[in-house]
Amino acid sequence: MGKHDGLRGKHLVWDWNGTLLDDIGAVIGATNAAFAELGLETITLEQYRELYTVPVPKFYERLMGRLPTDAEWTVMDGAFHRHYWARAEGCGLTAGAAELLAARQESGLTQSLLSLAPHAELIPLVRRHGIAERFVRMDGRVDASTDGKSGHMVRHLAALALAADRVVVIGDAADDAVAAAHVGAKAVLYTGGSHSRASLERVGVPVVDSLAEAVAVAEELV
């Protein structure tokens, strides 16, 4: 029985949007298109990365100075997703992502995908990028809640029957580290997505500028 037997070795849980999928341009474009529909000022990438937070209504509160009403949230969320999915088709994988995932799988180590993107849209998109077979499990959001990832992480690891102390979460948002800590796993945060380096460094976990560096740091953590 070697270390490559099933899920015994180190396991990576990857985030999708802003981590494996290089979609921050689509996110900013969709955010500003949604804001335009509501008469809000457009924002820059830098402003977005400094202010972005989960749950997303809190992000809108930072921008508007108040929480959106339920009606406003419904309009904003609908507008954002309509504009985002129109742009998402044109997004590629982050530099090095496909090669890193392949090399990890070929070395006998396991990895999975956990996203807050809607499951029904997520899975076909991952398949179109040709990397679905790299993961032992892929989970997207199956409800309409605006909660962060912590509860989803509990269910994801339970479904994999994984001990959290062998797990490293790689994501681009503070919430990825919160979800990892919630289950007792480690986390590495990548600066190419939704948060600035400064806001990620406040979280207290390793922060990296490339996915290759993320995997290298993850190897050291468990």
Side-chain angles (χ1 to χ4, degrees), residues 159-199:
L160 289 165
L162 267 179
D165 62 1
R166 307 300 296 151
V167 172
V168 182
V169 177
I170 298 178
D172 68 312
D175 186 57
D176 292 301
V178 170
H182 182 72
V183 295
K186 298 282 198 298
V188 179
L189 297 178
Y190 164 63
T191 59
S194 57
H195 282 319
S196 65
R197 175 174 265 281
S199 62

Side-chain angles (χ1 to χ4, degrees), residues 7 11 13 112-116 137-162 164 179 182-183:
L7 301 184
H11 179 87
V13 177
S112 56
L113 184 67
L114 178 61
S115 173
L116 294 181
R137 185 178 179 88
M138 299 184 287
D139 284 319
R141 186 193 288 285
V142 291
D143 59 26
S145 79
T146 58
D147 296 340
K149 218 175 232 183
S150 295
H152 298 277
M153 187 69 71
V154 172
R155 291 187 289 277
H156 186 71
L157 295 192
L160 289 165
L162 267 179
H182 182 72
V183 295

Side-chain angles (χ1 to χ4, degrees), residues 85-105:
W85 289 106
R87 291 165 168 79
E89 296 297 322
C91 295
L93 294 176
T94 299
E99 296 79 2
L100 283 165
L101 293 169
R104 190 170 177 79
Q105 183 184 39

